[in-house]
Amino acid sequence: MRLTSATGRVLTTGVMAAALFAGSAVAAAAPVGTGAGDAAASHGSYARLHPIAELSARRLATADLVAAAKYGTGSPIDDSAREKQVLDAVARAAREAGGDPEATVRIFRDQIEANKVVQRELFRRWDAKDPSQVPQARPDLAEVREEINRINTDLVRGIAASAGARTAPSCGGVLTAATAHVRHTDRLDALHALVLGRALRSVCAP
């Protein structure tokens, strides 16, 4: 399935290759003076964390479609019932994948909140009645949620597979490098580039 967001990005299923940019990005994230073992560890961490950043950007792009589906219908941006369904589902999926349900739910709470930040900002822009901003078509919300569910499945697996990278001292720097690469390659606009950081703020373990 291919769905195009209101900002023109095409949403597709599947995880993109994680280490395409690993060489230069990991070099930028690694502290000066690290040895070969540390560099290899950073490279491995990047390969684990980049898919999380990429999938988070793809999930964030669906906010455009959710907003376009809801705008003008009276449907609220906040949907506690839907949010509970998502969080319960990802907790179960995390257990099945051998991941940490609590960490997974924590990360997904941020994903959901980031999605709502984009929706609110788009509503604000559309309420300004700028003809170039108001969506011309209303996406099928059920189809959009199917796409979100597919991204959620991949993201849960990515979170489960990245436990070591997410708890490593280098997580913050490596995630920053991965996020910068995603912002560049996905050509995120200012709104989505900013809010992507909000979506990822709980990825590294406290």
Side-chain angles (χ1 to χ4, degrees):
M1 171 182 287
R2 291 164 65 88
L3 295 172
T4 304
S5 74
T7 57
R9 286 186 296 278
V10 175
L11 310 177
T12 58
T13 56
V15 181
M16 296 182 68
L20 292 176
F21 191 67
S24 58
V26 170
V32 175
T34 55
D38 290 337
S42 293
H43 183 97
S45 292
Y46 187 91
R48 295 297 187 184
L49 295 174
H50 181 273
I52 295 177
E54 176 60 34
L55 287 163
S56 296
R58 284 175 49 201
R59 195 181 192 284
L60 196 59
T62 66
D64 301 35
L65 299 171
V66 174
K70 290 182 175 181
Y71 187 69
T73 67
S75 297
I77 291 174
D78 290 279
D79 186 343
S80 58
R82 164 69 179 171
E83 292 172 21
K84 185 178 186 305
Q85 289 175 354
V86 170
L87 295 176
D88 288 347
V90 300
R92 288 193 301 270
R95 294 187 190 94
E96 294 170 0
D100 181 344
E102 290 185 7
T104 302
V105 167
R106 183 169 62 248
I107 293 168
F108 267 88
R109 286 190 190 279
D110 285 341
Q111 299 280 324
I112 291 169
E113 290 305 313
N115 193 290
K116 291 192 291 187
V117 169
V118 172
Q119 290 182 56
R120 291 189 186 104
E121 174 58 19
L122 292 177
F123 271 35
R124 186 194 67 77
R125 293 178 184 179
W126 297 339
D127 284 341
K129 304 304 180 185
D130 181 346
S132 67
Q133 297 285 338
V134 177
Q136 300 302 306
R138 192 181 304 284
D140 185 324
L141 187 56
E143 285 190 20
V144 178
R145 284 177 171 172
E146 287 178 6
E147 175 68 8
I148 293 172
N149 290 341
R150 283 188 286 269
I151 296 171
N152 288 352
T153 297
D154 289 339
L155 188 52
V156 167
R157 291 170 180 165
I159 293 168
S162 65
R166 290 187 295 100
T167 57
S170 62
C171 179
V174 175
L175 182 62
T176 296
T179 304
H181 179 229
V182 169
R183 285 170 174 152
H184 175 72
T185 56
D186 286 13
R187 299 181 180 180
L188 300 186
D189 61 19
L191 172 61
H192 293 78
L194 177 64
V195 180
L196 180 58
R198 173 70 173 83
L200 295 168
R201 71 178 187 179
S202 292
V203 169
C204 295

